[in-house]
Amino acid sequence: MTTQAFSVGDAVRKRAGYEYPGFIVAVFTTRAGAVRYVVEADHPAFTGMLHIFNGDQLELRAGGPPA
């Protein structure tokens, strides 16, 4: 699977497993050189929660930047 590049403000969701829709709020590179994305949840049950993902775990979704 090819890792997709995302940008701050992109509306994304976790591809598989538990539901996690949100917005990219930060992008960083680990000391090992891997790109990671911090996603702020946009879900009624856990709005505002932050989670770190790699690009293979995420996909773009419809939606604009957070309010």
Side-chain angles (χ1 to χ4, degrees):
M1 186 177 288
T2 303
T3 300
Q4 181 171 348
F6 300 98
S7 300
V8 171
D10 284 351
V12 295
R13 66 177 171 215
K14 190 167 177 287
R15 286 183 184 270
Y18 57 89
E19 183 179 3
Y20 199 95
F23 295 91
I24 304 287
V25 295
V27 180
F28 67 94
T29 303
T30 67
R31 294 188 316 162
V35 176
R36 296 292 183 256
Y37 301 95
V38 180
V39 179
E40 183 175 341
D42 179 26
H43 185 282
F46 44 89
T47 297
M49 182 174 139
L50 299 174
H51 200 307
I52 299 170
F53 294 100
N54 67 51
D56 289 339
Q57 294 175 285
L58 300 171
E59 63 187 8
L60 289 173
R61 68 180 175 97

